[in-house]
Amino acid sequence: MVAKLTNFVNGQWRESGATEYLPVRNPATQEILAEVPLSTAADVDAAVQAAAAAFPAWRRTVPEERIQYLFKLKQLLEERSEDIARMTTMENGKTIVEARAELRRAIENVEVACGIPTLMQGFNLEDVAPGIDEMMIRQPLGVVAAITPFNFPAMVPLWFLPYAIACGNTFVLKPSEKVPMTMRLIVDLLAETGLPPGVVSLVNGSKAVVDALLDHPDVRAISFVGSTPVAKYIYARGSANGKRVQCQGGAKNHVVIMPDADLEMTARIVSDGAFGCAGQRCLAVSVAVTVDEAHGRFCEAVTDLAGSMKVGYGLENESQMGPVISVESKRRVEDLVGKGVHAGAKILVDGRNASIPKFEKGNFIRPTIIESPKDDELGSMEIFGPVLTVRRAGSLQDAIAILAKSSYGNAASIFTSNGAAARQFRYEAPVGNVGINIGVAAPMAYFPFSGWKDSFLGVLHGQGSDAVEFYTDKKIVIERWPKEWSRKF
Ligand code: NAD
């Protein structure tokens, strides 16, 4: 019997009122791991009401005490890291090494949020006028919610949860219905810390749950990570309802390869960036723009690497790349490659129609590389699979012009040994995260995750001090205490 997942409301796992359930499948085997409820607006209301009821006491819990739960959570995440990573591999498909690395980045956010007694401080000035002092203090918002994608089942929810609750808010999570089981384990650990009921809730489901959160009058802020069309929808509806909203969207990340780079090393880093997590990272390298004579040697090295990558089940130690998330996703990616080839792109490594021994039913695509002579659909849209497009440019300026055309602005990197070229790239690339001789420019938890253009809607990003700004309201207090008004004792 396959387990039916439940929602975590008011400190307890409770059955959802859903009439519909979806299977949660292991993308390497198609085994059904569980069934996830498509919860209802009433389920969301129960979670938000519990969060609203928990807020006054949680807000009054002093920051030093609030972070003790996070210290305990960090400890439990370390102790249970292997179980969590295995669960991530089973429901998402990434390799166990990638799942462990993801969890490390998740834990890093818990660690940073433990600094809230310092991070949440305001500022003040005595004598803004004679005898008058002014201060800025930060206060939590109330009930806040996050809606998260399938590709980082542990890390993305923890981009938000630790900061939100450390700041004194209560938090409702809607994880991706494709990967609901990793956060189920982590919420269990949160419960083990003794966190008061209602401070964190989890409601499983899809669009109906999202809409109920967007429309609920008691939800003050929404954090979203996922594809750009959904990001735009959530930003518009959430803002129209008067909420504070931050939406991290899709991406199309370029790397520029200069002829003076170490091309063998660059090919290794770009190959990891393009094919790691089967290309299902919002910071995945999608387009390599080779400048001038960098082209030949880079292509040779990267095609060799792609062709020799060991694709397989993520729980098998030798696997370097796992499957994509679903049958539909595999079909979509392979169709896009087909269309590109039909439109004139040259295929350098063809990973379509992969069959992995023992895992013939899995959603595997082997690393694929195409060379595209021009701007086409493949070069502009987010593919979200293990596909690298190579484009040529005559100069750094031309290469920057190619990436500037993208509607996305999540990340871009340059590979070079020339400081002036690196500086020009850093200065001019219209993206929020820049890598210099780095393939995946993923900001550490104490820096904001800074997407631009269609990769981000909002003002304050996730992680670090932006997260503290997002999850607090500023209050200005101006005070005067004339001696003559004080009662004498
Ligand atoms: P998705 O947009 O399909 O889903 C994300 C979340 O939105 C899920 O919880 C899903 O249930 C919900 N959702 C889906 N359709 C909806 C709709 N019509 N109305 C309301 N809610 C809806 O994204 P995904 O496929 O889970 O994740 C992959 C995407 O996420 C990629 O585009 C990737 O680039 C992006 N991503 C971005 C970042 C970033 O930092 N910018 C990080 C990770 C992933």
Side-chain angles (χ1 to χ4, degrees):
M1 242 291 268
V2 172
K4 277 189 153 61
L5 300 182
T6 46
N7 296 330
F8 190 74
V9 177
N10 208 19
Q12 282 176 343
W13 290 103
R14 283 195 202 167
E15 203 175 314
S16 145
T19 50
E20 228 186 303
Y21 283 72
L22 293 179
V24 181
R25 287 182 195 276
N26 181 328
T29 62
Q30 306 302 352
E31 179 199 355
I32 297 179
L33 303 169
E35 291 193 332
V36 63
L38 297 184
S39 301
T40 62
D43 292 323
V44 171
D45 186 52
V48 174
Q49 280 195 34
F55 176 64
W58 182 243
R59 183 220 162 154
R60 282 177 171 74
T61 305
V62 298
E64 190 56 38
E65 205 179 312
R66 292 200 296 255
I67 62 169
Q68 298 311 313
Y69 296 98
L70 293 178
F71 281 116
K72 284 186 199 147
L73 175 64
K74 140 111 182 144
Q75 195 53 41
L76 291 169
L77 287 169
E78 299 284 3
E79 284 167 22
R80 299 287 302 279
S81 60
E82 207 48 27
D83 297 341
I84 299 168
R86 284 178 71 83
M87 179 54 78
T88 298
T89 294
M90 284 168 70
E91 66 177 357
N92 167 281
K94 65 180 64 178
T95 67
I96 188 73
V97 173
E98 291 166 340
R100 289 180 190 131
E102 169 182 349
L103 191 58
R104 191 66 10 245
R105 301 305 296 261
I107 292 172
E108 193 186 289
N109 280 279
V110 178
E111 291 166 351
V112 172
C114 287
I116 236 51
T118 310
L119 293 170
M120 204 179 154
Q121 288 177 11
F123 48 82
N124 56 53
L125 185 69
E126 276 184 343
D127 294 328
V128 292
I132 297 183
D133 307 326
E134 185 161 342
M135 69 182 81
M136 189 282 277
I137 51 179
R138 290 183 190 282
Q139 297 190 334
L141 304 178
V143 181
V144 300
I147 299 150
T148 55
F150 80 81
N151 63 334
F152 285 97
M155 181 185 75
V156 172
L158 295 188
W159 277 351
F160 305 110
L161 185 156
Y163 303 98
I165 66 171
C167 287
N169 302 283
T170 53
F171 183 85
V172 180
L173 174 70
K174 193 215 80 72
S176 166
E177 64 278 26
K178 292 175 185 148
V179 293
M181 298 176 76
T182 299
M183 277 311 291
R184 181 167 161 250
L185 286 182
I186 293 179
V187 166
D188 268 340
L189 299 186
L190 266 169
E192 252 183 71
T193 68
L195 191 71
V199 174
V200 169
S201 304
L202 181 153
V203 183
N204 283 301
S206 58
K207 184 168 167 41
V209 173
V210 173
D211 288 348
L213 287 168
L214 291 172
D215 293 344
H216 202 296
D218 291 341
V219 174
R220 285 281 322 275
I222 301 273
S223 302
F224 169 82
V225 180
S227 59
T228 293
V230 181
K232 288 185 172 168
Y233 166 74
I234 286 177
Y235 195 73
R237 188 157 169 173
S239 309
N241 286 333
K243 301 188 194 315
R244 187 176 292 190
V245 190
Q246 53 177 191
C247 291
Q248 299 183 209
K252 185 82 187 173
N253 306 306
H254 292 65
V255 297
V256 172
I257 299 155
M258 300 298 286
D260 55 33
D262 175 336
L263 293 173
E264 272 68 37
M265 175 71 84
T266 301
R268 275 203 294 283
I269 298 173
V270 169
S271 170
D272 281 351
F275 307 126
C277 297
Q280 299 175 120
R281 285 197 279 229
C282 64
L283 293 176
V285 175
S286 186
V287 183
V289 185
T290 53
V291 174
D292 211 12
E293 73 260 28
H295 188 76
R297 265 185 26 242
F298 170 75
C299 283
E300 224 173 89
V302 82
T303 49
D304 281 355
L305 288 163
S308 62
M309 205 156 180
K310 178 91 179 76
V311 179
Y313 185 27
L315 286 183
E316 297 197 335
N317 275 336
E318 66 276 19
S319 296
Q320 295 172 310
M321 192 184 106
V324 295
I325 188 71
S326 62
V327 174
E328 297 73 44
S329 176
K330 173 177 158 77
R331 195 174 305 130
R332 186 185 145 273
V333 172
E334 293 189 339
D335 285 354
L336 277 171
V337 172
K339 269 198 197 163
V341 172
H342 190 68
K346 188 165 119 195
I347 193 140
L348 304 182
V349 183
D350 193 349
R352 292 171 293 174
N353 307 313
S355 178
I356 306 298
K358 296 194 285 163
F359 299 100
E360 288 80 5
K361 288 190 191 153
N363 313 318
F364 292 98
I365 308 173
R366 290 183 188 278
T368 298
I369 305 184
I370 32 196
E371 185 177 343
S372 178
K374 56 180 190 318
D375 274 334
D376 56 11
E377 213 186 350
L378 214 57
S380 60
M381 71 185 300
E382 180 174 43
I383 298 176
F384 227 56
V387 179
L388 176 69
T389 303
V390 184
R391 299 273 315 266
R392 281 171 186 247
S395 64
L396 174 56
Q397 206 60 62
D398 291 349
I400 294 175
I402 288 175
L403 73 95
K405 272 196 192 158
S406 175
S407 59
Y408 296 106
N410 222 27
S413 295
I414 185 170
F415 287 84
T416 184
S417 55
N418 179 327
R423 183 176 192 279
Q424 181 184 347
F425 187 80
R426 189 188 74 198
Y427 199 87
E428 293 181 9
V431 301
N433 300 293
V434 168
I436 295 175
N437 297 319
I438 299 281
V440 175
M444 300 295 285
Y446 30 87
F447 285 93
F449 194 105
S450 187
W452 283 14
K453 293 163 83 177
D454 274 357
S455 298
F456 181 71
L457 289 92
V459 178
L460 296 166
H461 297 267
Q463 298 197 147
S465 56
D466 266 31
V468 179
E469 286 267 317
F470 184 79
Y471 287 127
T472 54
D473 262 335
K474 296 186 197 72
K475 183 179 272 183
I476 302 297
V477 182
I478 306 172
E479 49 184 42
R480 168 161 46 203
W481 290 102
K483 272 204 184 117
E484 55 276 20
W485 292 3
S486 299
R487 283 176 54 194
K488 296 213 169 60
F489 292 98

